[in-house]
Amino acid sequence: MNETASQSLVRRRYPPFARELWGLLGVAAAITAALLVSPLSWLAALPGAALFALVAFEARDPHRDPEPLPLAIVAPCDGTILDISDIDDPYLNRLAKRIRLRQPRFAVHSLFAPVEGKIIEQWRHFKPGGYASITWWIRSDEGDDVVIEITVPKIPFALQLNYQPGERVGHGRRFGFSFFGASVLVLVPGNSLVEVEPGSSSVAARQVLAKLVHDQPVSAIDAAGK
């Protein structure tokens, strides 16, 4: 099977709506159907149809093909690059570049892994103003450490992640869903080359935020064995 045919097959298998909202979509569809077959006027079905349309809009989940670039850090969400700064990484005690993104309320809510690797650790924090965050430390096969922090309103089910520490995530692959939008931080090694500017838009899984820099070639097998 050639690459084009393979990509087409993947897209056909990829659901157009986020799995996290299938239940709500089903409820909205059932309400609309029940009102349509009831003795009431078809106008009575309009609220149900409006609910279904709203949930379908919120649940849209287009397939994304990640950029096939080695050592590339891709955007974890659709949104806007708010700022880029050099910081002391509070999680890994190192110098890092922090790229801060904002996923708008009405953007596609799916979240994507910025790099391929193993989830080494996970932290949960509560923040002022009624927010909570989940942070992942991901280590690539080449030994690079990338941290992603996702902050959402402190509301039940506001953030759903489909992986746990110890599992692997793929480069630019979908790993979760934020129901109300999110603020996302990506922390990369301090010598990384940033490819974006504050104020620019981000396209999840496709846009390169930064590129990792190695002084010399690194074997993924050797790095994994350390």
Side-chain angles (χ1 to χ4, degrees):
M1 182 182 296
N2 60 40
E3 184 177 356
T4 301
S6 177
Q7 290 176 346
S8 178
L9 180 59
V10 169
R11 290 190 180 94
R12 286 198 298 271
R13 291 177 176 176
Y14 194 92
F17 299 108
R19 295 180 178 88
E20 293 83 355
L21 290 180
W22 282 2
L24 191 54
L25 272 173
V27 170
I31 292 174
T32 304
L35 291 173
L36 282 173
V37 299
S38 72
L40 301 174
S41 167
W42 63 269
L43 292 175
L46 288 180
L51 174 63
F52 179 84
L54 176 61
V55 175
F57 177 79
E58 292 285 331
R60 67 196 190 282
D61 193 13
H63 177 72
R64 299 291 172 83
D65 292 317
E67 288 287 346
L69 298 175
L71 305 180
I73 304 297
V74 296
C77 64
D78 287 355
T80 303
I81 312 295
L82 296 182
D83 61 62
I84 301 164
S85 56
D86 295 311
I87 67 164
D88 292 321
D89 186 340
Y91 296 101
L92 303 185
N93 191 27
R94 60 170 181 173
L95 293 176
K97 290 188 185 297
R98 183 188 69 186
I99 305 171
R100 188 162 65 101
L101 305 93
R102 177 63 189 171
Q103 182 188 46
R105 172 66 183 83
F106 295 107
V108 171
H109 296 309
S110 296
L111 298 165
F112 300 80
V115 68
E116 179 177 9
K118 181 179 180 180
I119 305 170
I120 303 298
E121 187 60 89
Q122 174 177 289
W123 297 273
R124 296 174 181 266
H125 297 101
F126 294 108
K127 298 193 172 187
Y131 290 89
S133 69
I134 293 182
T135 304
W136 278 355
W137 166 17
I138 304 173
R139 173 166 290 168
S140 73
D141 293 337
E142 292 76 25
D144 296 295
D145 293 315
V146 175
V147 173
I148 177 171
E149 177 185 294
I150 305 162
T151 300
V152 297
K154 194 171 67 174
I155 300 173
F157 309 109
L159 177 63
Q160 183 168 332
L161 302 180
N162 303 322
Y163 293 84
Q164 298 294 328
E167 296 183 310
R168 289 182 58 83
V169 290
H171 185 229
R173 298 302 180 185
R174 187 183 189 279
F175 69 76
F177 189 82
S178 58
F179 287 85
F180 304 101
S183 176
V184 182
L185 303 180
V186 180
L187 280 61
V188 298
N191 65 340
S192 302
L193 300 177
V194 176
E195 300 280 310
V196 292
E197 297 287 342
S200 60
S201 297
S202 65
V203 180
R206 293 179 180 170
Q207 184 169 11
V208 176
L209 297 181
K211 291 182 180 177
L212 300 167
V213 175
H214 289 166
D215 294 331
Q216 58 185 2
V218 177
S219 166
I221 296 177
D222 291 343
K226 290 183 179 180

